[in-house]
Amino acid sequence: MAGSLLLAWQVKNKRCLVIGGGDVALSRVHHMIKAEASITVVTGTGNVHPEIIELHSKGLIYQLLERDFRTEDLSMYEKPSNLNPQLVKVSEILSASQFEEIRQAVQDQVFAVVCCCIDDYDLSTQIYYQCKFLRLPVNIADKPPMCDFYFGSMYNQDNLQIMISTNGMSPRLSKLIKDNIARQFDGIDLNRAIENLGLLRARLRALVITKDDLTSIDERMQWIKSVTDYFSIRQWSELELSEGNADAIVRLYPSFPPREYDWWVKR
């Protein structure tokens, strides 16, 4: 079986729909909360997981509808638009006002993803094809052929995200592999390592003014790669670089800073 295309799907502040109110729906909600999505949950009329209700009460779920799913839920936030694809050609999308209208529609009106987490096969199949008709990315829980995307096991340390996917074939194995990765990084503040290196990269872009030709860009990339390879992940996680420290290091470009770790610690 061919592998999936693993991507980081940006859903921050975008509409996401979860259909269902049980354990699987809750797991989808947790994924979306970490991604800072605007989450709508349609629970059905059965028992709703109490944590879903609690998350809504805390404002982490935008809207909680404790009722059965309705087909119109898939477009519940959409508003009439002058930019009807059936009436306007793509080549006619040229003005800033049109750009803004499209941005608002994508951000506030159209679901970025739909997750169906119910045990009704007939209804979930209907929802899948309704989403396909509306061009909405959809995941039907426990039915890999009806999934545009999968939820793998995630290892998170704020800025660091590692996803392990078995293409929906063995979620349990994904979790075992994720737990093994977590043990390897036990006691290491990976997020600080990322912040230190991210700060150096950002200050390099801000302070180093050279041509934006491919050669100059490659030189800057090679510089930051070489500096990244100076130290181990643990060593990068134990540094505390300020913006002033980073600027002093970056101003040495195109020369390299010393490789001695003590020099970096004393910055």
Side-chain angles (χ1 to χ4, degrees), residues 209-253:
I209 303 174
T210 60
K211 296 179 180 179
D212 280 331
D213 58 277
L214 292 178
T215 299
S216 298
I217 293 172
D218 184 64
E219 288 174 352
R220 293 197 296 271
M221 290 177 62
Q222 291 303 320
W223 189 89
I224 196 67
K225 284 179 182 178
S226 296
V227 172
T228 301
D229 291 343
Y230 272 15
F231 309 124
S232 68
I233 296 173
R234 182 178 292 276
Q235 286 175 311
W236 279 115
S237 75
E238 293 172 347
L239 286 173
E240 293 187 20
L241 293 181
S242 65
E243 185 172 300
N245 298 148
D247 287 355
I249 293 165
V250 165
R251 287 194 177 98
L252 296 172
Y253 180 89

Side-chain angles (χ1 to χ4, degrees), residues 86-99:
Q86 296 177 341
L87 302 176
V88 179
K89 296 179 181 179
V90 173
S91 59
E92 296 173 351
I93 307 299
L94 301 173
S95 70
S97 62
Q98 290 172 317
F99 300 163

Side-chain angles (χ1 to χ4, degrees), residues 167-211:
N167 283 326
M169 296 176 67
S170 180
R172 177 61 182 170
L173 182 59
S174 293
K175 182 181 184 304
L176 293 175
I177 295 171
K178 183 261 293 184
D179 291 343
N180 187 54
I181 291 173
R183 285 192 291 272
Q184 294 181 50
F185 292 127
D186 185 45
I188 299 178
D189 190 346
L190 294 170
N191 194 56
R192 179 182 288 177
I194 292 169
E195 289 178 345
N196 283 331
L197 287 165
L199 178 61
L200 284 175
R201 189 164 179 258
R203 299 312 295 162
L204 180 65
R205 287 197 303 266
L207 297 179
V208 175
I209 303 174
T210 60
K211 296 179 180 179

